[in-house]
């Protein structure tokens, strides 16, 4: 789920607390945004339009080198942004499939690999977004962050964890509500519905 991705993106900046503390806040923010970016395609080809497991990973290598060799707020932000997006895109392979009810395990699509031109099958290490193990991951990622970040970012971590908890509690109900609402929506909204809702 998105909270897990943004917390993982933030945690990528943890080494900066010791190596370049003045850049840690920008690193945490860039990791958060990088972890968020891929899911901005939620309603336009989810896990295909902005998910690039290969390309974000490849681009993050020179960006990390630039951050090490020419350390600045800009290079650190770029590196952690790309790395957060890469981790998100790769992590989606280890979740459930791309379907309205991923706990049913009917989808063979986890994330699209643009490099090979094919969908990667879900590995279901985390059964589905919002599963209890997904919440456990969010909680586990938030513990070191709460110890590392300062109060403004600490509120972001706490808020993100709260969203994860609420989403986990409501996840299965949200799918049922969507299934009830979709048949009564006006036909004009059909082009705006994600494919998995049809």
């Amino acid at each position: 789920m998105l909270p897990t991705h943004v917390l993982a993106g933030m945690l990528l900046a943890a080494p900066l607390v010791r190596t370049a503390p003045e850049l840690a806040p920008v690193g945490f923010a860039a990791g958060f945004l990088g972890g968020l970016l891929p899911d901005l395609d939620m309603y336009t080809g989810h896990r295909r339009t902005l998910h690039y497991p290969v390309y974000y990973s490849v681009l993050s290598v020179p960006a990390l080198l630039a951050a090490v060799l020419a350390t600045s707020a800009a290079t650190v932000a770029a590196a952690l942004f790309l790395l957060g997006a890469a981790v998100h895109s790769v992590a989606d392979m280890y979740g459930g499939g791309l379907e309205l009810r991923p706990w049913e395990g009917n989808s063979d699509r986890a994330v699209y690999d643009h490099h090979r031109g094919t969908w990667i099958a879900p590995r279901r290490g985390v059964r589905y977004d919002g599963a209890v193990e997904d919440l456990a991951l969010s909680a586990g990622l938030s513990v070191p962050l709460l110890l590392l970040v300062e109060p403004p970012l600490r509120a972001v971590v706490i808020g993100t964890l709260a969203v994860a908890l609420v989403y986990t509690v409501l996840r299965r109900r949200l799918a049922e509500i969507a299934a009830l609402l979709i048949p009564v929506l006006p036909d004009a909204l059909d082009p705006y519905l994600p494919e998995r809702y049809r």
Side-chain angles (χ1 to χ4, degrees):
M1 63 182 155
L2 184 56
T4 305
H5 291 307
V6 297
L7 291 168
M10 286 182 79
L11 194 56
L12 294 170
L16 291 173
V17 172
R18 287 196 185 267
T19 61
E22 69 283 1
L23 295 174
V26 74
F28 286 122
F32 179 97
L33 293 173
L36 170 73
L37 174 70
D39 274 351
L40 294 180
D41 70 6
M42 189 72 67
Y43 294 100
T44 56
H46 186 45
R47 293 192 187 169
R48 183 176 183 156
T49 306
L50 293 176
H51 285 66
Y52 295 94
V54 174
Y55 298 136
Y56 287 139
S57 299
V58 169
L59 289 172
S60 67
V61 173
L64 284 168
L65 275 171
V68 169
L69 298 175
T71 305
S72 70
T75 58
V76 166
L80 287 166
F81 180 83
L82 287 168
L83 195 55
V87 168
H88 177 145
S89 298
V90 170
D92 274 347
M93 294 187 301
Y94 297 96
L98 188 59
E99 57 191 308
L100 183 59
R101 296 178 185 91
W103 48 87
E104 293 176 354
N106 295 322
S107 175
D108 62 350
R109 295 178 172 193
V111 66
Y112 192 77
D113 179 353
H114 292 84
H115 181 68
R116 291 176 187 84
T118 186
W119 283 93
I120 299 169
R123 292 179 170 86
R124 294 184 174 85
V126 170
R127 294 171 295 150
Y128 57 90
D129 62 304
V132 174
E133 60 268 27
D134 200 356
L135 178 61
L137 273 172
S138 284
L141 293 167
S142 69
V143 170
L145 285 169
L146 290 171
L147 298 172
L148 293 172
V149 299
E150 297 298 320
L153 287 174
R154 192 170 293 144
V156 171
V157 173
I158 291 168
T160 302
L161 190 55
V163 169
L165 178 61
V166 170
Y167 184 71
T168 299
V169 168
L170 298 177
R171 175 60 175 104
R172 287 187 179 235
R173 289 186 189 101
L174 291 172
E176 297 308 318
I177 291 167
L180 292 172
L181 289 178
I182 290 167
V184 298
L185 289 175
D187 291 341
L189 294 178
D190 280 352
Y192 304 103
L193 287 175
E195 186 180 315
R196 66 189 178 280
Y197 285 21
R198 295 186 187 124

